[in-house]
Amino acid sequence: SSGIGGGGAVISTITEWDENGLQTRTRIRIRVTPDGTIETREFTFQEVEIDGEIYTKIIRDDGMYAIIISRSDPKITEYYTADGILLLITTVTRDPETRERTILRQRYDESGEPVGEPFEVNVSYRILGDTVIITRTTSNREITVVLKETPDGYEVTRGNYSYTVVFDGDDILLYNSDGSLIGTVTHNDDGTWSVVYPDGSEEIVSL
């Protein structure tokens, strides 16, 4: 399945189950940078058992991983290096009336000690018909992402840059605001992904 994420990236997900009924989801995140480059990243979501409890472990393609400790309010996630060193803990609370989320990010050093004070990010959502406006605010910066539904996909505006996402079968087509094709991303039968640019150049992403 494919859709659009809150940050404006395309999210495509493949779900599998093992013999014990534990779920594994492979998710690829596709985003377009303002210079016209298509970036792809893979995340594997695995249900794992730790001390008799089932948690979700998110493994990035570079080996870094996160463990969702709690999904309730607040949602707590621990982030680790590929070597298992704790880097960051995020705590997300949600206002049920305004839908605003407050994210506290606490960084840690290699010995597991907190570094500085928690860093706060506020995320708000506004829905206007077929348009969702997402605003991320910190103490010194505000970023707005606008997602507008189209007949074939979505129009994404992130800051001053806009592009359009079109879902066409197994293909994800990405267009600039002037209608010119940026590139096409396709999931191949062998599990790889192809990123093809209009000049014919192609990248095979082996995830």
Side-chain angles (χ1 to χ4, degrees), residues 4 36 38 42 46-47 65-66 86 93 100 102 107 112 115 126 129 142 151 154 161 165 168 177 180 187-188 198 200:
I4 206 81
I38 298 174
E42 182 207 28
Q46 292 182 339
E47 289 184 336
Y65 66 92
L86 178 65
T93 56
E100 182 172 304
T102 299
R107 296 193 176 277
V115 177
R126 284 191 296 151
E142 182 176 285
Y154 295 89
Y161 183 65
V165 179
D168 182 15
S177 57
S180 59
H187 182 236
N188 303 314

Side-chain angles (χ1 to χ4, degrees), residues 45-61:
F45 292 68
Q46 292 182 339
E47 289 184 336
V48 295
E49 183 176 342
I50 301 175
D51 296 330
E53 298 288 338
I54 301 297
Y55 297 96
T56 298
K57 182 177 182 180
I58 308 169
I59 307 168
R60 214 165 70 170
D61 48 15

Side-chain angles (χ1 to χ4, degrees), residues 29-198:
R29 186 181 68 193
I30 304 161
R31 65 186 297 269
V32 180
T33 64
D35 64 1
T37 301
I38 298 174
E39 293 183 343
T40 59
R41 297 225 66 159
E42 182 207 28
F43 300 85
T44 301
F45 292 68
Q46 292 182 339
E47 289 184 336
V48 295
E49 183 176 342
I50 301 175
D51 296 330
E53 298 288 338
I54 301 297
Y55 297 96
T56 298
K57 182 177 182 180
I58 308 169
I59 307 168
R60 214 165 70 170
D61 48 15
D62 60 4
M64 297 181 68
Y65 66 92
I67 297 177
I68 301 175
I69 301 301
S70 170
R71 289 189 175 277
S72 57
D73 195 358
K75 178 180 178 180
I76 302 172
T77 307
E78 298 177 349
Y79 295 82
Y80 296 85
T81 67
D83 296 325
I85 298 174
L86 178 65
L87 289 177
L88 175 73
I89 295 179
T90 63
T91 303
V92 183
T93 56
R94 183 188 300 269
D95 187 311
E97 295 183 0
T98 64
R99 300 183 63 200
E100 182 172 304
R101 291 187 301 165
T102 299
I103 305 170
L104 290 179
R105 296 176 174 173
Q106 177 64 66
R107 296 193 176 277
Y108 291 82
D109 61 22
E110 291 186 359
S111 63
E113 295 297 320
V115 177
E117 296 296 321
F119 181 71
E120 183 174 305
V121 181
N122 293 301
V123 183
S124 62
Y125 298 82
R126 284 191 296 151
I127 301 176
L128 304 173
D130 61 358
T131 301
V132 179
I133 302 172
I134 304 159
T135 304
R136 300 173 65 90
T137 306
T138 66
S139 58
N140 57 7
R141 190 180 184 189
E142 182 176 285
I143 301 174
T144 299
V145 177
V146 180
L147 308 177
K148 183 177 181 180
E149 193 171 353
T150 67
D152 301 315
Y154 295 89
E155 179 183 306
V156 179
T157 300
R158 191 172 58 238
N160 297 320
Y161 183 65
S162 296
Y163 59 92
T164 300
V165 179
V166 174
F167 299 109
D168 182 15
D170 291 335
D171 294 338
I172 300 168
L173 291 78
L174 304 165
Y175 295 89
N176 273 323
S177 57
D178 61 5
S180 59
L181 181 66
I182 301 171
T184 302
V185 183
T186 302
H187 182 236
N188 303 314
D189 292 337
D190 62 359
T192 63
W193 293 78
S194 297
V195 181
V196 182
Y197 291 95

